[in-house]
Amino acid sequence: MKKLYCLLFFVFILNSCGVNEEIAGESKSKSTTYTQKVEIDEVLTQLKNRNPELALFIESNPVSNLKAKSGKTDYYFDLKNVYAVKNDKNEAAYTIPLYIISEDQFNYLHRLSLEITPTHVDVKLVIIEGKDDGTLKYTAHPFNMYQKKNITSKTTEIECYCVTSVSDCTCHTTHASSGCDHPDVVTSCNCSGGPTGGGSYGTGTKTTWSGGSGSATSYTPSGSGVIFGLQKHFKTDFTIGPLLKYTIEQNVTYGKMLLDFLNEETSTPVNKAFVVEMLISMENGQFTTTKQVRNSIENFKYSQKSPFNVDLSTILDKPTLTESKKFIEVYKALSNSPEFKNLFLAIFENNEKHNVKFEIAEHVYKDDDPTKEEVNGITIGVPGSNDIKIKLSKQIFIAGTLKSQITIENAKTILHECIHAFLFIKKNNPSVGMDFIKTLNEAYPSADQQHDFMVNKMIPTMQKVLSEIRDSVTTESGRSEVENLTMHPTITPLTSTSWDWDEYYKSISLKGLEDTNGFIKEYPYPSDKFDFWDRYVKAGKTWLDKK
């Protein structure tokens, strides 16, 4: 048993597949070791015969007492996540997650390790500390339930040599087609005084797995790694207390998603405030699925870059659908346009955000009435609230339908409906944009009047947004094709000009507004101007999605 203790393992598991590995650093023949989750009774039964006082102390202070804010100790044990590292001789060393509520312990995580033999019980308190380079430092200390304040004393510290390994996702192959998204993480430590070969003395080796794309904070995909990664982002702005630490370790996937969000979107004050709100919601048990967490994060991300607080949940719930993928592609491009985010600031002199929900329907009809003509999208009020719903037709995202559109046209359609949405908000909130009341002669416009307003007031703004996202919603080869076209403003006499992107943005912005007075006045039919407008629209549709 002593040999096993010299290679004591502390286990952090996201999803347990079972891990088999050889004991490292042994000159003699190696024995197979494996991690195994065990019931607390297995530990207590042995401990009661050798150290009944400690057994009673552990049993009497479960983490549920911490959650209920009851108990008279600073120590609380997670009795439902006890692991043993066993070998082929059926020897075992146990580790119990431990949460300490004293303020001087906020920057650490703790594990109680137990070696129980017929003759003695060897107890260590393992302190885990996150390092700036993403590694974890493990130190072992004597444990005394009555002398908490001495646990970090340097004079009693015992260094641990630790190695972290990540298992293959053999039991998650159906989820791992693009890589292992939830590997088993096992950290083994030798706390007998010094390293047994290789690695770094006193530090846990971080894995090659890292969260996010180009993440600023490296971390191991375990509860401890996520906690220390979040602490690195928050610094002194927010303290992750013991109950929240416990919550994160029980919901590692949720915590990892929030850490990835900060890695990808940066630690701005508003982003950190959002993550704190999410962590508190986690602590209160408000999330039950990863979908809820993901949707909350995505909705927040897009709301920060939109003129509205947006709800994309119904689309995010079906991420594999063609129409969902194309919508997200387009909306992501729009959200990267500064002009889109500030869409109404210059016109309406108001940047107060309101709630808009997006949906994709099989078919969409004018006025939301199936007896009327089919349209690309509509904007309607949500009964009983000031919220707005933008409903888009699935047909505009699907190739080969009568209403199929290229990507930049879909961006224009969404932009078009966003302007409708703000006009609905204007109706429901008369104090918004007072100068706009004068523009509309103090009357809320009908649908046709809204279109007239777009022609007269919004086309330059729409052109600016489309110019900012052009390269994200068109192909390089498609742009090359149209830029080599010769356009003809007039036929008789024949005049020629090069492709003009601003003219194209204006042309597709006017698409769908042909019945307005402003359009009819500028592009009467039949006329060279109407044909010129039509040729721009058709040329873009022909080429700009070309691969």
Side-chain angles (χ1 to χ4, degrees), residues 214-506:
S215 59
T217 301
S218 298
Y219 65 96
T220 50
S222 61
S224 55
V226 170
I227 289 168
F228 291 127
L230 288 170
Q231 285 181 336
K232 186 174 179 181
H233 278 285
F234 287 132
K235 297 180 180 177
T236 59
D237 294 336
F238 177 71
T239 298
I240 300 178
L243 181 54
L244 190 49
K245 290 177 183 176
Y246 170 78
T247 302
I248 293 172
E249 292 212 64
Q250 306 311 304
N251 301 277
V252 177
T253 302
Y254 298 172
K256 183 176 74 69
M257 293 166 72
L258 293 172
L259 181 52
D260 287 349
F261 164 74
L262 288 177
N263 282 341
E264 293 164 357
E265 300 296 320
T266 72
S267 299
T268 63
V270 67
N271 285 346
K272 288 194 288 187
F274 166 72
V275 170
V276 169
E277 182 181 339
M278 291 287 286
L279 289 171
I280 293 171
S281 295
M282 282 173 54
E283 188 176 286
N284 294 331
Q286 295 178 15
F287 295 114
T288 57
T289 66
T290 55
K291 181 185 293 185
Q292 293 172 322
V293 179
R294 182 202 66 209
N295 287 0
S296 295
I297 292 172
E298 293 301 303
N299 285 332
F300 177 80
K301 283 169 55 177
Y302 286 118
S303 294
Q304 290 299 107
K305 301 176 182 179
S306 301
F308 310 107
N309 293 321
V310 298
D311 181 356
L312 311 179
S313 299
T314 61
I315 298 169
L316 294 169
D317 281 345
K318 301 174 181 177
T320 61
L321 295 181
T322 299
E323 59 270 25
S324 296
K325 291 179 180 178
K326 290 191 174 181
F327 172 89
I328 294 299
E329 174 192 356
V330 172
Y331 202 85
K332 183 177 182 180
L334 281 169
S335 69
N336 287 327
S337 160
E339 189 72 10
F340 178 68
K341 178 180 179 179
N342 299 316
L343 186 59
F344 307 110
L345 186 58
I347 296 294
F348 302 99
E349 298 181 355
N350 188 283
N351 61 355
E352 180 182 355
K353 286 193 172 183
H354 298 269
N355 301 326
V356 174
K357 182 175 184 177
F358 284 84
E359 290 183 1
I360 297 177
E362 190 73 24
H363 297 277
V364 175
Y365 302 91
K366 184 176 181 180
D367 300 328
D368 208 23
D369 183 349
T371 65
K372 296 185 178 181
E373 66 181 286
E374 188 172 351
V375 293
N376 293 339
I378 59 170
T379 301
I380 54 179
V382 177
S385 73
N386 288 331
D387 296 346
I388 303 299
K389 180 189 295 184
I390 292 177
K391 188 184 292 188
L392 300 168
S393 173
K394 171 183 174 180
Q395 308 306 310
I396 68 174
F397 299 104
I398 304 298
T401 75
L402 294 176
K403 302 195 74 63
S404 298
Q405 294 189 150
I406 61 173
T407 308
I408 194 170
E409 289 176 331
N410 285 333
K412 186 276 303 182
T413 295
I414 294 172
L415 186 57
H416 177 111
E417 295 305 325
C418 284
I419 297 171
H420 277 302
F422 198 88
L423 295 176
F424 269 98
I425 290 168
K426 177 69 200 80
K427 175 185 177 183
N428 294 337
N429 301 271
S431 63
V432 173
M434 295 304 294
D435 287 348
F436 181 49
I437 296 178
K438 299 175 184 177
T439 302
L440 297 172
N441 297 319
E442 299 186 1
Y444 174 70
S446 66
D448 289 338
Q449 289 172 322
Q450 287 186 32
H451 282 173
D452 279 321
F453 177 80
M454 290 185 199
V455 171
N456 296 329
K457 297 290 183 181
M458 296 301 296
I459 296 302
T461 299
M462 296 175 77
Q463 286 176 284
K464 181 71 180 299
V465 173
L466 293 172
S467 72
E468 290 177 343
I469 68 171
R470 182 196 70 178
D471 291 358
S472 299
V473 291
T474 60
T475 65
E476 184 176 358
S477 59
R479 293 192 297 273
S480 178
E481 290 283 357
V482 297
E483 287 169 354
N484 287 323
L485 294 176
T486 298
M487 307 303 291
H488 301 291
T490 62
I491 303 302
T492 306
L494 183 66
T495 58
S496 301
T497 185
S498 300
W499 176 271
D500 185 325
W501 280 106
D502 280 340
E503 189 67 38
Y504 173 69
Y505 302 141
K506 180 179 181 180

Side-chain angles (χ1 to χ4, degrees), residues 10 12 21 134-136 138 161-167 184-189 203-208 220-222 224:
F10 306 107
F12 311 95
E21 61 178 338
T135 63
L136 304 177
Y138 297 78
Y161 165 73
C162 303
V163 177
T164 299
S165 61
V166 181
S167 73
D184 282 352
V185 181
V186 179
T187 298
S188 58
C189 295
T203 60
T205 306
K206 66 180 178 182
T207 73
T208 56
T220 50
S222 61
S224 55

Side-chain angles (χ1 to χ4, degrees), residues 13-19 165-186 207-212 219-222 253 256 260:
I13 293 185
L14 296 182
N15 289 289
S16 180
C17 298
V19 178
S165 61
V166 181
S167 73
D168 294 332
C169 274
T170 53
C171 67
H172 299 296
T173 52
T174 58
H175 304 291
S177 58
S178 60
C180 192
D181 57 350
H182 39 264
D184 282 352
V185 181
V186 179
T207 73
T208 56
W209 187 96
S210 62
Y219 65 96
T220 50
S222 61
T253 302
K256 183 176 74 69
D260 287 349

Side-chain angles (χ1 to χ4, degrees), residues 24-38:
E26 290 287 331
S27 58
K28 298 178 181 179
S29 60
K30 301 174 181 179
S31 61
T32 300
T33 64
Y34 58 93
T35 64
Q36 182 182 68
K37 188 173 184 179
V38 298

